[in-house]
Amino acid sequence: MIEFHLDARSGLSPYLQLIQQVRQALRLGFLSKGDQLPTVKDVVARLAINPNTVLKAYRELEYEGLVAARAGVGTFVTKTLTDDSSLAAHEPLRADLQDWLAKARTAGLDDESIEALFATTFRALTEATSGATIEEEVR
């Protein structure tokens, strides 16, 4: 079962963080079809947040077709975002990323600095790639 956590520094609202964590767990194979999400009551007790926040996240996930709520029973995963073959195919990338993270640690970067470096690099690459695509479409 997934254990949610909130990061006040993320800039994302708590309900979006919950949604993001479920999507990531589905993508990485940590949650499978049929798995139960924590009850609203459990999430509220663990994170000290408003029950409506959890309900909003679960409703959004249900709207996306990723989970289904069963009255009096709980909320269950109905769809995954990956398959076993794609996870295996990404293993070399995971190894490269682990090497990069080890180099970042050796260079003296802390978690926050690593996250900032990754996020800014990712955004810059995404913007450069999307900009090139737009230019190609104009031609």
Side-chain angles (χ1 to χ4, degrees):
M1 183 179 293
I2 188 171
E3 284 196 30
F4 294 114
H5 61 277
L6 295 178
D7 181 0
R9 299 171 298 150
S10 77
L12 286 177
S13 66
Y15 100 93
L16 287 175
Q17 289 184 52
L18 298 178
I19 291 170
Q20 188 177 59
Q21 289 172 47
V22 170
R23 286 183 191 143
Q24 184 175 13
L26 291 170
R27 233 176 242 110
L28 296 173
F30 297 140
L31 284 175
S32 303
K33 190 174 180 180
D35 286 348
Q36 185 174 4
L37 295 183
T39 65
V40 171
K41 184 178 179 180
D42 288 344
V43 177
V44 167
R46 188 175 188 302
L47 301 179
I49 60 174
N50 189 307
N52 290 330
T53 301
V54 183
L55 288 168
K56 183 177 180 180
Y58 281 14
R59 275 194 305 269
E60 177 68 25
L61 291 164
E62 191 168 16
Y63 177 77
E64 293 175 13
L66 299 175
V67 302
R70 293 190 222 155
V73 181
T75 303
F76 296 84
V77 174
T78 56
K79 178 180 164 186
T80 63
L81 295 176
T82 191
D83 58 39
D84 292 337
S85 62
S86 68
L87 284 175
H90 291 121
E91 201 52 46
L93 289 173
R94 183 188 308 263
D96 288 346
L97 184 55
Q98 288 172 336
D99 290 345
W100 182 84
L101 288 168
K103 288 177 186 175
R105 288 265 185 249
T106 302
L109 297 178
D110 61 7
D111 287 352
E112 202 170 302
S113 298
I114 290 171
E115 287 176 13
L117 179 59
F118 180 85
T120 56
T121 304
F122 181 80
R123 262 192 251 88
L125 182 62
T126 302
E127 289 171 6
T129 304
S130 64
T133 305
I134 292 169
E135 288 176 15
E136 289 171 5
E137 290 177 4
V138 172
R139 290 182 195 163

